[in-house]
Amino acid sequence: MKTSNTTEVANTKDEVFITHIFNAPREVVFKAWTEPEQLLRWFAPDGCTIDFKNINVQTGGTFHSCIHDPQFGDCWCKGTYLEVIYPEKLVYTMALTDEHGNDLESAVDAGKDANMPRETVLTVTFAEYGNQTKLTLHQTMPEDIAKQTGAYQSWIKMLHKLEELV
Amino acid sequence: MIIRRDVYQAIADPTRREIIERISQQPLNLNAVAETFDISRQAVSRHIKILMECELVVIRQKGRERYCEAKLEKLHEVADWVDQYKKHWLSRFKALDNYLTEIQTNTKTDENK
């Protein structure tokens, strides 16, 4: 399931790790990630739209967004920008909430899979790559999932082995 | 104390992970599974019972033997969150690719912010 030959995906024990080459200078790519009016243009998943109740992209700033999904309804999300370093790095947290920004007791309330994490940390780095940008996205697994699965690390290793058999 | 019976519960214990690993290659008869562990047969049986309740293992009777067989499809639930996000980001990157193409071919990019 490759979308393009410039995307690499590697899943380690408990995190998502993706790199992708974008055909634009990194200042342009960074701004697309950090300017609210640009985020509105591309950040929502296919067929959905996104709104920001508030968004303040700077270190220590927060956002509160809503993705409108015609199939599943609204999904509210909030987070905090831990690091915003133009044009090279963006670190933020993300958690599901309700419309008022209260943490959801459980992700199930948001109509998501029960295994959906409560809070995850995203680290996005932008490296110059000629006149392109190499973006690396790293998303950590939230603790409650890690706890649920016990020794997740060894487990995932095994899972990969088993995948060849299933 | 709620007794959870799901795939996470099943794999939270190292002995149970070990059992799954052993029977994942081929079904083994119950005695053969129990013999390879240092713990009592009873303890192994208890783990197998939990694995059955979590729907990761089925027991099949073959003649006089009872065989322990792994049902690995369930395990994919565990990898789901990673996959879910992976797909999510890949589709977003595609959208961003399109968006970047769009704003760069349009010379009037929004620079006033």
Side-chain angles (χ1 to χ4, degrees), chain A residues 11-71:
Chain A
N11 289 343
T12 51
K13 60 187 190 305
D14 56 2
E15 47 208 23
V16 179
F17 191 83
I18 312 179
T19 61
H20 186 88
I21 309 287
F22 288 102
N23 286 315
R26 72 173 172 168
E27 290 76 11
V28 174
V29 182
F30 187 90
K31 282 180 180 173
W33 275 81
T34 51
E35 293 185 352
E37 64 277 16
Q38 295 205 62
L39 284 166
L40 295 178
R41 302 274 302 275
W42 69 271
F43 201 72
D46 277 349
C48 307
T49 55
I50 185 166
D51 272 332
F52 290 100
K53 197 167 181 177
N54 61 62
I55 177 164
N56 173 15
V57 188
Q58 57 174 343
T59 301
T62 58
F63 70 88
H64 190 191
S65 67
C66 179
I67 288 177
H68 309 284
D69 186 321
Q71 199 182 344

Side-chain angles (χ1 to χ4, degrees), chain A residues 106-122:
Chain A
S106 128
V108 181
D109 300 346
K112 295 282 177 194
D113 177 357
N115 300 330
M116 186 116 165
R118 289 281 280 287
E119 187 175 75
T120 100
V121 179
L122 281 126

